Amino acid sequence: EADIYQTPRYLVIGTGKKITLECSQTMGHDKMYWYQQDPGMELHLIHYSYGVNSTEKGDLSSESTVSRIRTEHFPLTLESARPSHTSQYLCASSELAASYNEQFFGPGTRLTVL
Amino acid sequence: SQQGEEDPQALSIQEGENATMNCSYKTSINNLQWYRQNSGRGLVHLILIRSNEREKHSGRLRVTLDTSKKSSSLLITASRAADTASYFCATHTNQAGTALIFGKGTTLSVSS
């Protein structure tokens, strides 16, 4: 079944730890995105990718990094987690050729850094 | 700067009533989309309206777009408790390239 997956769904971790949030999609989409969302607030784009080996920074400055080695996989890494990184992280994907840019979202990872 | 701004921030209604949410934006758009988010979950695409369209329907949803006022509205008719969620508008502009810019959302509560 075509879908977009994120793991873990919830993560509680101590300050200074390195973490990787996983995102995979089985829809064959070229475009993928990472958004950060605080409770009750809007989504902020932090990274996006047009395809393999393409990564761009979004509107919101983030200390995280991303990679795109395979079309279906777009992991996000924090080298040293801090309490300010506590938030929900949403991954999304869309078709490259589509002009309308409808995005499909994963369920999100809720990260808490103590 | 934020592109989309929803109004109201929160809305509480009874089942069977209609719910109207508004979205205003600042720059010219390619299209405007509405998404729904259940608590703690990802977003689900509801409906897209292009800049040359004025109204669109999908089931109990009706979306209007007024490009002269840079505003859109989402109407949910005959609401149900299951419609309880946050609703976000997102704009797609040529300048933004591939990105969507989301508003802060309207939290809708439908009580039975």
Side-chain angles (χ1 to χ4, degrees):
Chain A
E1 182 181 333
D3 209 339
I4 180 164
Y5 306 92
Q6 288 186 245
T7 57
R9 290 293 317 282
Y10 303 92
L11 180 62
V12 180
I13 201 163
T15 297
K17 299 290 186 183
K18 177 181 178 179
I19 59 168
T20 297
L21 307 185
E22 301 288 349
C23 176
S24 294
Q25 50 95 7
T26 57
M27 294 177 282
H29 288 166
D30 285 300
K31 296 181 189 175
M32 294 188 76
Y33 316 81
W34 276 103
Y35 293 89
Q36 185 174 342
Q37 182 187 30
D38 291 325
M41 300 297 288
E42 68 266 48
L43 283 72
H44 290 287
L45 181 69
I46 51 175
H47 298 283
Y48 61 98
S49 167
Y50 288 108
V52 172
N53 294 327
S54 152
T55 61
E56 304 286 344
K57 289 190 180 295
D59 303 321
L60 183 67
S61 175
S62 174
E63 293 165 342
S64 58
T65 59
V66 292
S67 63
R68 191 87 184 276
I69 299 171
R70 302 198 316 265
T71 299
E72 62 271 19
H73 196 212
F74 191 40
L76 181 145
T77 298
L78 277 165
E79 290 293 332
S80 179
R82 294 207 302 271
S84 62
H85 296 139
T86 294
S87 189
Q88 173 156 262
Y89 293 83
L90 293 165
C91 180
S93 69
S94 66
E95 294 180 25
L96 181 65
S99 61
Y100 41 85
N101 202 33
E102 173 187 344
Q103 296 186 9
F104 297 82
F105 282 80
T109 293
R110 187 168 295 278
L111 173 66
T112 302
V113 184
L114 303 174
Chain B
S1 64
Q2 188 176 315
Q3 165 78 323
E5 187 94 22
E6 284 92 340
D7 168 60
Q9 288 187 326
L11 181 61
S12 293
I13 58 174
Q14 298 283 319
E15 261 192 331
E17 294 180 338
N18 294 341
T20 300
M21 290 159 266
N22 303 297
C23 170
S24 59
Y25 56 92
K26 296 175 183 174
T27 62
S28 297
I29 62 171
N30 199 341
N31 64 69
L32 185 145
Q33 304 176 31
W34 284 91
Y35 287 79
R36 166 195 168 124
Q37 183 180 34
N38 286 75
S39 180
R41 305 286 297 182
L43 278 71
V44 175
H45 182 265
L46 294 176
I47 196 165
L48 178 149
I49 187 164
R50 298 177 200 274
S51 60
N52 61 353
E53 297 175 312
R54 292 296 167 259
E55 188 171 312
K56 208 160 183 182
H57 296 256
S58 175
R60 292 184 296 113
L61 305 180
R62 173 178 168 253
V63 169
T64 62
L65 178 65
D66 187 336
T67 52
S68 67
K69 295 181 180 177
K70 291 187 167 61
S71 68
S72 172
S73 68
L74 170 68
L75 168 68
I76 304 174
T77 60
S79 63
R80 305 165 182 167
D83 294 328
T84 295
S86 291
Y87 293 82
F88 293 87
C89 71
T91 52
H92 182 216
T93 69
N94 289 327
Q95 295 95 327
T98 191
L100 287 176
I101 302 174
F102 286 83
K104 289 187 177 181
T106 293
T107 299
L108 173 65
S109 297
V110 182
S111 52
S112 53

